[in-house]
Amino acid sequence: HKNGIQYKGYVNFLNQAIEPALPFLHKDMRGLDFGCGPSPTLSVILEQKGLTCDNYDIFFFSDLPREKYDFIFATECFEHFFFPAKEIQHIKSLLKANGIIIIMTETWKSVKAFANWYYARDFTHISFFHIQTFDFIAREFGFEILKCINERVVILQKTEAADID
């Protein structure tokens, strides 16, 4: 990957998640790029739009956030989760009441196509999601699906009842 603010292709790629999320965000909100990688880019793009976004990555920016956020972007990190339920619960714990999470991960379409799917052949990808998986995640973890942009970007909102956990 050529990741970084200087790579137009990567910026355009991240904008697939950022643009549909913008109607749900405003300048007094604070966000987190969960799984930002070695060259934080999403937070820079958001900063250019007047939004504040911290960075977290288990390998590169490993200081665990101690605050709650209004929004969290998780772009291209769900497929790297060894324990998806544990990670989703962790992300949920970092969200304020009614906070939103913007998830970007390529979803699988059919069992038949899975074996030849480039995404599944990436040895760092260990968890795979179907678009219907996000219905399950919403039910199980106390989220509401705000928007399903395509088969790659889903925006979920933490429900008030989920904040009671």
Side-chain angles (χ1 to χ4, degrees), residues 96-153:
K96 291 180 180 178
N98 298 312
I100 64 169
I101 178 170
I102 302 92
I103 302 163
M104 182 176 183
T105 187
E106 190 161 323
T107 55
W108 62 272
K109 313 300 182 276
S110 73
V111 173
K112 183 179 177 183
F114 192 87
N116 295 316
W117 183 33
Y118 81 97
Y119 215 67
R121 290 190 314 240
D122 182 329
F123 72 93
T124 69
H125 294 177
I126 54 175
S127 293
F128 302 96
F129 301 83
H130 188 275
I131 197 65
Q132 292 176 341
T133 309
F134 293 102
D135 291 326
F136 173 81
I137 289 170
R139 273 193 322 276
E140 287 297 309
F141 293 93
F143 290 101
E144 175 186 346
I145 297 176
L146 291 181
K147 201 167 192 179
C148 192
I149 310 313
N150 51 41
E151 294 177 338
R152 187 174 210 132
V153 178

Side-chain angles (χ1 to χ4, degrees), residues 3 36-40 57 60-61:
N3 299 354
C36 64
S39 301
D57 188 285
F60 305 105
F61 294 86

Side-chain angles (χ1 to χ4, degrees), residues 4 6-7 83 101 119:
Q6 69 274 28
Y7 297 107
F83 303 102
I101 178 170
Y119 215 67

Side-chain angles (χ1 to χ4, degrees), residues 86-105:
K86 181 180 169 188
E87 293 295 339
I88 293 166
Q89 189 63 42
H90 177 69
I91 291 170
K92 178 182 156 187
S93 75
L94 296 172
L95 277 175
K96 291 180 180 178
N98 298 312
I100 64 169
I101 178 170
I102 302 92
I103 302 163
M104 182 176 183
T105 187

Side-chain angles (χ1 to χ4, degrees), residues 38-116:
S39 301
T41 304
L42 190 137
S43 60
V44 175
I45 297 167
L46 291 175
E47 197 173 283
Q48 292 169 349
K49 296 179 183 302
L51 296 160
T52 303
C53 186
D54 295 337
N55 296 301
Y56 170 74
D57 188 285
I58 194 168
F59 298 110
F60 305 105
F61 294 86
S62 60
D63 289 337
L64 283 171
R66 289 181 165 60
E67 60 184 282
K68 298 225 180 212
Y69 292 94
D70 299 294
F71 64 88
I72 296 175
F73 277 86
T75 57
E76 298 299 309
C77 67
F78 268 51
E79 62 276 8
H80 299 281
F81 291 167
F82 280 97
F83 303 102
K86 181 180 169 188
E87 293 295 339
I88 293 166
Q89 189 63 42
H90 177 69
I91 291 170
K92 178 182 156 187
S93 75
L94 296 172
L95 277 175
K96 291 180 180 178
N98 298 312
I100 64 169
I101 178 170
I102 302 92
I103 302 163
M104 182 176 183
T105 187
E106 190 161 323
T107 55
W108 62 272
K109 313 300 182 276
S110 73
V111 173
K112 183 179 177 183
F114 192 87
N116 295 316

